[in-house]
């Protein structure tokens, strides 16, 4: 029996992308067995248990293997950043990965171990067991081009990006404002920056790189990577663009899904703005009030997912907050005044189903790559409001290169005012600029569908990927 082992880092977004990769492989190559390693860490990365349970019941050919949580060397609250915490967790998980991979190898031929970038420490384990490693990047080809080029930037620049106030040049990308570099690398002296250097210098040790995108969406970045322009000192691993992979099952399956969709059924076509800022998009109380005022003064219909603000207690900053108390967080009377044209839901909504609903005409998004692909595949134009990770880079690409979003501008302190929110929502829904973005997204929706159809570019890339796994197996044996 042939198996492929998928190993995502903790986080519902990473897990969903890996599951969708597993489903894609099974759809076109049903004889391959898919095993997914997962960690259930002692900090908040979005609820995974209901999702895993749902996938296990609908797709029994995907097996989940729970890895024990290693003992961390310090308390959660002592970690300077989420990235530093993740780095320790995944490095210390190597013995468990080794044991699980060895056990599968005893009864099956492991064609490949597929990891995401945080799981780079597992390269060593796979090397010991002679299993080829492929990275699966759950973000854009543009992000991948930047990450491949990052070691060159690291060598050539001595300042922290946050202090530079300049435009950075990288192959296949438009000029990137230095402050829009991924959050973990803004401060050169941080532990997160150090781990990022480690991850990006190891990417080229993989046998190949799989990316959740499609060639026509990011043709310049794809060409730069394939032409070897992003890595200066060694060959670039083979690239496989096999997206867009869109989740068919939502993240935590809470009960408010039916309520949202029922409410949307009663709204006019393309009239509703959907505002949802990701599973880790926790905004301050001040920011929530600004959003409420902006939505109210815009006069537009809206569906808004509200999460509780982050805890002020440092010892709880990596733990999941409770459901929000809407009456205390939102302006007095807001829910009553907007009940005829707005719906506020707590913590979660079935995003893919919402975006595919005919009543939704715009999407205010945190620019997480899964969300961007979901909006493209639904033909919904966006307002780009990045919050963390590589989302500011995604915003640059979405606005400047892909032309599928309007930019949300924030103050130096990161606050988006009610005036700015109102302006962007109305611009998206009411102006020629908004209509032109809608037309562009509609065209990309058609291209995304073509890429995933029989004979499409992404299906051809998947076939090449499976062939490369089998060739490597023959080479090893």
């Amino acid at each position: 029996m042939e198996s492929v082992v998928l190993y995502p880092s903790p986080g519902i977004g990473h897990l969903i992308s890996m599951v969708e990769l597993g489903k894609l492989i099974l759809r076109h190559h049903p004889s391959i067995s898919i095993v997914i390693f997962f960690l259930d860490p002692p900090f908040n990365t979005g609820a995974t248990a209901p999702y895993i349970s749902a996938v296990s019941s609908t797709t029994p050919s995907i097996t989940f293997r729970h890895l024990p949580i290693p003992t961390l060397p310090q308390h959660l609250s002592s970690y300077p950043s989420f990235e530093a915490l993740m780095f320790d967790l995944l490095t210390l998980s190597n013995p468990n990965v080794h044991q699980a991979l060895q056990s599968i190898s005893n009864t099956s031929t492991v064609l490949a171990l597929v990891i995401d970038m945080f799981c780079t420490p597992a390269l060593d384990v796979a090397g010991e067991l002679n299993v080829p490693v492929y990275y699966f990047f759950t973000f854009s080809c543009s992000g991948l081009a930047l990450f491949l080029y990052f070691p060159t930037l690291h060598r050539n620049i001595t300042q922290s990006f946050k202090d530079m106030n300049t435009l950075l040049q990288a192959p296949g990308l438009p000029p990137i404002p230095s402050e829009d570099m991924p959050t973990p690398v803004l401060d050169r002296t941080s532990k997160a920056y150090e781990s990022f250097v480690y991850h990006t210098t190891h990417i080229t040790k993989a046998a190949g790189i799989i990316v959740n995108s499609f060639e026509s969406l990011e043709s310049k970045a794809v060409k730069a990577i394939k032409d070897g322009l992003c890595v200066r000192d060694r060959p670039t691993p083979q690239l496989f663009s096999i997206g867009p992979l869109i989740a068919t099952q939502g993240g935590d399956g809470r009960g408010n899904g039916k309520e949202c969709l029922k409410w949307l059924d009663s709204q006019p076509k393309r009239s509703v703005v959907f505002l949802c800022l990701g599973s880790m998009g926790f905004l301050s109380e001040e920011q929530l009030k600004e959003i409420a005022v902006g939505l109210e003064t815009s006069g537009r219909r809206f569906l808004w997912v509200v999460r509780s603000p982050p805890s002020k207690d440092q010892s709880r900053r990596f733990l999941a907050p409770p459901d929000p108390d809407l009456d205390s967080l939102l302006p007095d009377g807001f829910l009553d005044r907007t009940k005829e044209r707005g719906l506020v839901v707590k913590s979660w909504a079935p995003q893919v189903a919402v975006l595919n609903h005919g009543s939704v005409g715009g999407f205010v998004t945190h620019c997480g790559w899964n969300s961007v692909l979901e909006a493209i595949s639904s033909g919904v134009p966006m307002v780009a409001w990045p919050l963390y990770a590589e989302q500011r880079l995604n915003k640059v690409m979405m606005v400047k290169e892909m032309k599928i979003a309007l930019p949300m501008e924030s103050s130096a302190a990161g606050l988006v005012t009610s005036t700015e929110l109102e302006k962007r929502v109305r611009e998206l829904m009411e102006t020629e600029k908004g209509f032109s973005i809608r037309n562009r997204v509609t065209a990309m929706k058609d291209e995304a569908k073509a890429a995933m159809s029989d004979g499409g570019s992404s299906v051809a890339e998947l076939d090449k990927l499976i062939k490369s796994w089998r060739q490597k197996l023959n080479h090893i044996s």
Side-chain angles (χ1 to χ4, degrees), residues 110-137:
V110 179
L111 292 177
L113 171 67
V114 179
I115 62 174
D116 69 25
M117 194 172 85
F118 275 124
C119 296
T120 294
L123 274 169
D124 295 338
V125 172
E128 289 162 19
L129 296 173
N130 222 0
V131 173
V133 175
Y134 287 71
Y135 275 99
F136 178 39
F137 278 87

mmCIF file of all heavy atoms in Angstrom, residues 110-137:
data_model
loop_
_atom_site.group_PDB
_atom_site.id
_atom_site.type_symbol
_atom_site.label_atom_id
_atom_site.label_comp_id
_atom_site.label_asym_id
_atom_site.label_seq_id
_atom_site.Cartn_x
_atom_site.Cartn_y
_atom_site.Cartn_z
ATOM 1 N N VAL A 110 5.773 4.713 2.285
ATOM 2 C CA VAL A 110 5.514 6.151 2.430
ATOM 3 C C VAL A 110 6.121 6.880 1.232
ATOM 4 O O VAL A 110 7.345 6.963 1.093
ATOM 5 C CB VAL A 110 6.084 6.686 3.765
ATOM 6 C CG1 VAL A 110 5.817 8.184 3.877
ATOM 7 C CG2 VAL A 110 5.470 5.945 4.946
ATOM 8 N N LEU A 111 5.245 7.378 0.358
ATOM 9 C CA LEU A 111 5.719 8.076 -0.846
ATOM 10 C C LEU A 111 6.361 9.416 -0.499
ATOM 11 O O LEU A 111 7.325 9.837 -1.134
ATOM 12 C CB LEU A 111 4.545 8.334 -1.806
ATOM 13 C CG LEU A 111 3.902 7.124 -2.473
ATOM 14 C CD1 LEU A 111 2.715 7.573 -3.312
ATOM 15 C CD2 LEU A 111 4.912 6.388 -3.354
ATOM 16 N N ALA A 112 5.789 10.102 0.496
ATOM 17 C CA ALA A 112 6.298 11.435 0.839
ATOM 18 C C ALA A 112 5.762 11.864 2.196
ATOM 19 O O ALA A 112 4.690 11.425 2.634
ATOM 20 C CB ALA A 112 5.865 12.453 -0.222
ATOM 21 N N LEU A 113 6.547 12.720 2.863
ATOM 22 C CA LEU A 113 6.068 13.458 4.031
ATOM 23 C C LEU A 113 5.857 14.892 3.562
ATOM 24 O O LEU A 113 6.777 15.529 3.047
ATOM 25 C CB LEU A 113 7.103 13.419 5.167
ATOM 26 C CG LEU A 113 6.803 14.332 6.368
ATOM 27 C CD1 LEU A 113 5.562 13.835 7.121
ATOM 28 C CD2 LEU A 113 7.998 14.399 7.324
ATOM 29 N N VAL A 114 4.631 15.382 3.702
ATOM 30 C CA VAL A 114 4.312 16.751 3.270
ATOM 31 C C VAL A 114 4.153 17.605 4.521
ATOM 32 O O VAL A 114 3.312 17.309 5.382
ATOM 33 C CB VAL A 114 3.017 16.781 2.427
ATOM 34 C CG1 VAL A 114 2.697 18.210 1.998
ATOM 35 C CG2 VAL A 114 3.154 15.878 1.202
ATOM 36 N N ILE A 115 4.950 18.661 4.631
ATOM 37 C CA ILE A 115 4.949 19.504 5.837
ATOM 38 C C ILE A 115 4.639 20.950 5.459
ATOM 39 O O ILE A 115 4.799 21.343 4.306
ATOM 40 C CB ILE A 115 6.322 19.455 6.558
ATOM 41 C CG1 ILE A 115 7.452 20.003 5.656
ATOM 42 C CG2 ILE A 115 6.648 18.050 7.034
ATOM 43 C CD1 ILE A 115 8.818 20.111 6.347
ATOM 44 N N ASP A 116 4.191 21.734 6.444
ATOM 45 C CA ASP A 116 4.140 23.171 6.173
ATOM 46 C C ASP A 116 5.369 23.824 6.806
ATOM 47 O O ASP A 116 6.188 23.163 7.439
ATOM 48 C CB ASP A 116 2.804 23.805 6.585
ATOM 49 C CG ASP A 116 2.566 23.857 8.087
ATOM 50 O OD1 ASP A 116 3.551 23.864 8.846
ATOM 51 O OD2 ASP A 116 1.391 23.901 8.496
ATOM 52 N N MET A 117 5.521 25.135 6.608
ATOM 53 C CA MET A 117 6.808 25.751 6.903
ATOM 54 C C MET A 117 7.204 25.660 8.370
ATOM 55 O O MET A 117 8.369 25.453 8.701
ATOM 56 C CB MET A 117 6.838 27.212 6.452
ATOM 57 C CG MET A 117 8.261 27.762 6.425
ATOM 58 S SD MET A 117 8.404 29.381 5.685
ATOM 59 C CE MET A 117 8.019 30.423 7.051
ATOM 60 N N PHE A 118 6.243 25.791 9.279
ATOM 61 C CA PHE A 118 6.570 25.706 10.702
ATOM 62 C C PHE A 118 7.141 24.336 11.073
ATOM 63 O O PHE A 118 7.834 24.190 12.068
ATOM 64 C CB PHE A 118 5.327 25.977 11.552
ATOM 65 C CG PHE A 118 5.046 27.434 11.812
ATOM 66 C CD1 PHE A 118 3.827 27.996 11.462
ATOM 67 C CD2 PHE A 118 5.992 28.248 12.418
ATOM 68 C CE1 PHE A 118 3.552 29.332 11.713
ATOM 69 C CE2 PHE A 118 5.732 29.586 12.675
ATOM 70 C CZ PHE A 118 4.506 30.130 12.322
ATOM 71 N N CYS A 119 6.799 23.314 10.286
ATOM 72 C CA CYS A 119 7.233 21.940 10.602
ATOM 73 C C CYS A 119 8.613 21.600 10.037
ATOM 74 O O CYS A 119 8.993 20.421 9.981
ATOM 75 C CB CYS A 119 6.200 20.943 10.079
ATOM 76 S SG CYS A 119 4.598 21.110 10.874
ATOM 77 N N THR A 120 9.379 22.601 9.643
ATOM 78 C CA THR A 120 10.722 22.395 9.086
ATOM 79 C C THR A 120 11.592 21.455 9.921
ATOM 80 O O THR A 120 12.353 20.664 9.354
ATOM 81 C CB THR A 120 11.422 23.768 8.900
ATOM 82 O OG1 THR A 120 10.703 24.492 7.904
ATOM 83 C CG2 THR A 120 12.863 23.619 8.473
ATOM 84 N N PRO A 121 11.528 21.488 11.279
ATOM 85 C CA PRO A 121 12.373 20.561 12.049
ATOM 86 C C PRO A 121 12.214 19.096 11.632
ATOM 87 O O PRO A 121 13.126 18.283 11.800
ATOM 88 C CB PRO A 121 11.921 20.776 13.500
ATOM 89 C CG PRO A 121 11.427 22.195 13.524
ATOM 90 C CD PRO A 121 10.797 22.419 12.177
ATOM 91 N N ALA A 122 11.056 18.730 11.054
ATOM 92 C CA ALA A 122 10.808 17.325 10.671
ATOM 93 C C ALA A 122 11.643 16.894 9.468
ATOM 94 O O ALA A 122 11.708 15.695 9.158
ATOM 95 C CB ALA A 122 9.329 17.126 10.369
ATOM 96 N N LEU A 123 12.304 17.845 8.786
ATOM 97 C CA LEU A 123 13.205 17.485 7.672
ATOM 98 C C LEU A 123 14.232 16.444 8.124
ATOM 99 O O LEU A 123 14.545 15.505 7.400
ATOM 100 C CB LEU A 123 13.951 18.722 7.162
ATOM 101 C CG LEU A 123 13.270 19.611 6.110
ATOM 102 C CD1 LEU A 123 14.051 20.916 5.961
ATOM 103 C CD2 LEU A 123 13.181 18.911 4.770
ATOM 104 N N ASP A 124 14.777 16.645 9.334
ATOM 105 C CA ASP A 124 15.819 15.743 9.853
ATOM 106 C C ASP A 124 15.275 14.330 10.049
ATOM 107 O O ASP A 124 15.933 13.342 9.719
ATOM 108 C CB ASP A 124 16.369 16.260 11.191
ATOM 109 C CG ASP A 124 17.090 17.594 11.027
ATOM 110 O OD1 ASP A 124 17.518 17.883 9.894
ATOM 111 O OD2 ASP A 124 17.197 18.346 12.018
ATOM 112 N N VAL A 125 14.058 14.253 10.584
ATOM 113 C CA VAL A 125 13.434 12.947 10.842
ATOM 114 C C VAL A 125 13.243 12.186 9.529
ATOM 115 O O VAL A 125 13.583 11.006 9.407
ATOM 116 C CB VAL A 125 12.059 13.136 11.534
ATOM 117 C CG1 VAL A 125 11.329 11.807 11.627
ATOM 118 C CG2 VAL A 125 12.233 13.756 12.900
ATOM 119 N N ALA A 126 12.693 12.872 8.541
ATOM 120 C CA ALA A 126 12.433 12.237 7.246
ATOM 121 C C ALA A 126 13.735 11.783 6.605
ATOM 122 O O ALA A 126 13.800 10.716 5.982
ATOM 123 C CB ALA A 126 11.696 13.204 6.330
ATOM 124 N N GLY A 127 14.786 12.605 6.765
ATOM 125 C CA GLY A 127 16.105 12.249 6.220
ATOM 126 C C GLY A 127 16.605 10.943 6.824
ATOM 127 O O GLY A 127 17.118 10.066 6.111
ATOM 128 N N GLU A 128 16.443 10.792 8.139
ATOM 129 C CA GLU A 128 16.887 9.566 8.819
ATOM 130 C C GLU A 128 16.140 8.335 8.290
ATOM 131 O O GLU A 128 16.699 7.238 8.219
ATOM 132 C CB GLU A 128 16.634 9.689 10.329
ATOM 133 C CG GLU A 128 17.551 10.668 11.055
ATOM 134 C CD GLU A 128 16.998 11.071 12.414
ATOM 135 O OE1 GLU A 128 16.130 10.341 12.940
ATOM 136 O OE2 GLU A 128 17.418 12.127 12.938
ATOM 137 N N LEU A 129 14.864 8.530 7.927
ATOM 138 C CA LEU A 129 14.041 7.404 7.480
ATOM 139 C C LEU A 129 13.982 7.287 5.951
ATOM 140 O O LEU A 129 13.259 6.454 5.414
ATOM 141 C CB LEU A 129 12.611 7.548 8.033
ATOM 142 C CG LEU A 129 12.498 7.491 9.565
ATOM 143 C CD1 LEU A 129 11.085 7.820 10.020
ATOM 144 C CD2 LEU A 129 12.910 6.112 10.092
ATOM 145 N N ASN A 130 14.743 8.141 5.275
ATOM 146 C CA ASN A 130 14.820 8.090 3.802
ATOM 147 C C ASN A 130 13.462 8.341 3.137
ATOM 148 O O ASN A 130 13.126 7.727 2.124
ATOM 149 C CB ASN A 130 15.373 6.728 3.343
ATOM 150 C CG ASN A 130 16.365 6.908 2.205
ATOM 151 O OD1 ASN A 130 16.627 8.029 1.769
ATOM 152 N ND2 ASN A 130 16.884 5.812 1.695
ATOM 153 N N VAL A 131 12.685 9.239 3.739
ATOM 154 C CA VAL A 131 11.378 9.607 3.171
ATOM 155 C C VAL A 131 11.507 10.995 2.531
ATOM 156 O O VAL A 131 11.943 11.932 3.191
ATOM 157 C CB VAL A 131 10.287 9.639 4.277
ATOM 158 C CG1 VAL A 131 8.968 10.178 3.727
ATOM 159 C CG2 VAL A 131 10.087 8.263 4.879
ATOM 160 N N PRO A 132 11.147 11.149 1.252
ATOM 161 C CA PRO A 132 11.236 12.469 0.617
ATOM 162 C C PRO A 132 10.281 13.473 1.286
ATOM 163 O O PRO A 132 9.150 13.114 1.636
ATOM 164 C CB PRO A 132 10.811 12.224 -0.836
ATOM 165 C CG PRO A 132 10.816 10.750 -1.022
ATOM 166 C CD PRO A 132 10.646 10.125 0.325
ATOM 167 N N VAL A 133 10.757 14.705 1.457
ATOM 168 C CA VAL A 133 9.938 15.746 2.088
ATOM 169 C C VAL A 133 9.521 16.780 1.047
ATOM 170 O O VAL A 133 10.346 17.247 0.258
ATOM 171 C CB VAL A 133 10.711 16.458 3.220
ATOM 172 C CG1 VAL A 133 9.887 17.611 3.784
ATOM 173 C CG2 VAL A 133 11.048 15.479 4.322
ATOM 174 N N TYR A 134 8.238 17.125 1.078
ATOM 175 C CA TYR A 134 7.698 18.185 0.233
ATOM 176 C C TYR A 134 7.043 19.217 1.140
ATOM 177 O O TYR A 134 6.352 18.851 2.092
ATOM 178 C CB TYR A 134 6.647 17.626 -0.739
ATOM 179 C CG TYR A 134 7.244 16.814 -1.859
ATOM 180 C CD1 TYR A 134 7.803 15.558 -1.615
ATOM 181 C CD2 TYR A 134 7.259 17.293 -3.169
ATOM 182 C CE1 TYR A 134 8.361 14.806 -2.629
ATOM 183 C CE2 TYR A 134 7.815 16.539 -4.204
ATOM 184 C CZ TYR A 134 8.366 15.298 -3.922
ATOM 185 O OH TYR A 134 8.927 14.552 -4.935
ATOM 186 N N TYR A 135 7.314 20.485 0.869
ATOM 187 C CA TYR A 135 6.613 21.530 1.605
ATOM 188 C C TYR A 135 5.258 21.774 0.958
ATOM 189 O O TYR A 135 5.134 21.763 -0.270
ATOM 190 C CB TYR A 135 7.403 22.846 1.554
ATOM 191 C CG TYR A 135 8.468 22.962 2.607
ATOM 192 C CD1 TYR A 135 9.799 22.686 2.319
ATOM 193 C CD2 TYR A 135 8.155 23.378 3.899
ATOM 194 C CE1 TYR A 135 10.783 22.810 3.285
ATOM 195 C CE2 TYR A 135 9.132 23.500 4.869
ATOM 196 C CZ TYR A 135 10.451 23.219 4.560
ATOM 197 O OH TYR A 135 11.424 23.335 5.509
ATOM 198 N N PHE A 136 4.253 22.024 1.788
ATOM 199 C CA PHE A 136 2.975 22.519 1.279
ATOM 200 C C PHE A 136 2.781 23.916 1.849
ATOM 201 O O PHE A 136 2.610 24.088 3.062
ATOM 202 C CB PHE A 136 1.822 21.604 1.703
ATOM 203 C CG PHE A 136 0.473 22.092 1.238
ATOM 204 C CD1 PHE A 136 0.289 22.663 -0.007
ATOM 205 C CD2 PHE A 136 -0.632 21.978 2.069
ATOM 206 C CE1 PHE A 136 -0.953 23.106 -0.430
ATOM 207 C CE2 PHE A 136 -1.887 22.407 1.649
ATOM 208 C CZ PHE A 136 -2.042 22.979 0.406
ATOM 209 N N PHE A 137 2.843 24.906 0.975
ATOM 210 C CA PHE A 137 2.675 26.288 1.418
ATOM 211 C C PHE A 137 1.205 26.659 1.288
ATOM 212 O O PHE A 137 0.644 26.666 0.205
ATOM 213 C CB PHE A 137 3.571 27.230 0.611
ATOM 214 C CG PHE A 137 4.969 27.236 1.147
ATOM 215 C CD1 PHE A 137 5.900 26.298 0.721
ATOM 216 C CD2 PHE A 137 5.343 28.134 2.130
ATOM 217 C CE1 PHE A 137 7.179 26.268 1.253
ATOM 218 C CE2 PHE A 137 6.621 28.111 2.664
ATOM 219 C CZ PHE A 137 7.541 27.184 2.226
#
